[in-house]
Amino acid sequence: MSRTCYNGRWRDVECVKSKPICDETYGCVSVPSVCGNGTVEPEEECDGANLGGKTCDDVFAGLVGELRCSDKCKIDASSCMVPGCSAGAVLCVDGVLKTCEAGAWRETPCGDDACNVVRGACVKRECTGDARRCVGSVAQLCIDDSYIDVMDCAATGLVCVEATGLCARGVCTEGQRTCRGTVMQLCVGNAFVDVFDCATKGQVCHASDGTCGD
């Protein structure tokens, strides 16, 4: 209760949540919200573990899961999901691996590792984008920041070409040399790659041995 002087008389005023502090001269006054004190104050949606009694269903009707509060005291519904799941289902949400076990989602934070849906695990980051590579005869593709096996080229009589990371018919023997115009080429991973343009030295490329000369 606050007692305020008004027109020469004292007036009693009951403070409310939006203006919780009583001052005998000015009546009820507002105070700044403090995020992190565990109390949901004006301009805050939640505070720490205090979600104001809200659940995933209150934010998105029909959803279940763990409603969270961000460090900005805003509701975080990223873990809210459709109830139930199919056995073996795997999802990645904000760096958290979600796997379906006995009809319910189990969460595993990946931390600094990559959340890989194909592998269904948190794995070491080893690539970016859609990079490709060969591991022996196996062609691999970068998915979710880690390599996965795409195909064993040898199983179909092909070779994995290092230059492209794709299966193809071998076009040369490892270490073989040839020429493409004035450009000297070398066979790497069963495919020719450019090595040096002989023309930059005023020479030609000899197709007989794939070397530069006069």
Side-chain angles (χ1 to χ4, degrees):
M1 185 72 70
S2 171
R3 172 162 287 190
T4 305
C5 183
Y6 182 75
N7 288 340
R9 295 184 178 182
W10 286 106
R11 183 178 65 175
D12 291 335
V13 180
E14 184 174 353
C15 294
V16 295
K17 185 176 180 181
S18 61
K19 294 185 176 182
I21 304 300
C22 294
D23 183 280
E24 290 190 356
T25 302
Y26 298 104
C28 298
V29 295
S30 298
V31 294
S33 298
V34 178
C35 184
N37 62 5
T39 301
V40 181
E41 299 167 315
E43 300 180 3
E44 294 181 347
E45 297 178 354
C46 55
D47 196 311
N50 188 346
L51 299 172
K54 294 180 180 179
T55 65
C56 284
D57 186 64
D58 294 318
V59 180
F60 297 106
L63 296 190
V64 296
E66 181 184 359
L67 196 64
R68 298 170 178 168
C69 187
S70 73
D71 57 5
K72 302 293 185 182
C73 284
K74 299 296 183 182
I75 290 293
D76 176 7
S78 61
S79 292
C80 295
M81 309 189 73
V82 176
C85 57
S86 302
V90 179
L91 292 174
C92 283
V93 180
D94 295 331
V96 176
L97 176 70
K98 294 178 180 287
T99 54
C100 184
E101 297 181 4
W105 291 103
R106 182 173 70 85
E107 296 185 357
T108 304
C110 290
D112 293 332
D113 291 333
C115 182
N116 193 289
V117 172
V118 177
R119 293 189 182 181
C122 297
V123 297
K124 181 179 179 181
R125 297 181 185 276
E126 54 188 358
C127 57
T128 58
D130 57 356
R132 293 176 178 270
R133 73 175 183 183
C134 295
V135 177
S137 63
V138 178
Q140 293 187 327
L141 173 65
C142 184
I143 294 181
D144 292 335
D145 298 329
S146 64
Y147 284 108
I148 64 165
D149 294 346
V150 176
M151 179 180 180
D152 185 350
C153 303
T156 56
L158 302 176
V159 296
C160 188
V161 180
E162 286 287 349
T164 62
L166 297 171
C167 294
R169 296 188 182 280
V171 296
C172 59
T173 303
E174 196 74 14
Q176 181 182 349
R177 293 173 177 272
T178 189
C179 296
R180 180 177 61 81
T182 60
V183 177
M184 182 171 62
Q185 293 187 318
L186 177 67
C187 184
V188 179
N190 300 107
F192 283 114
V193 296
D194 293 346
V195 175
F196 181 72
D197 188 348
C198 300
T200 60
K201 297 177 63 175
Q203 298 178 325
V204 297
C205 184
H206 298 292
S208 58
D209 59 3
T211 60
C212 295
D214 297 325

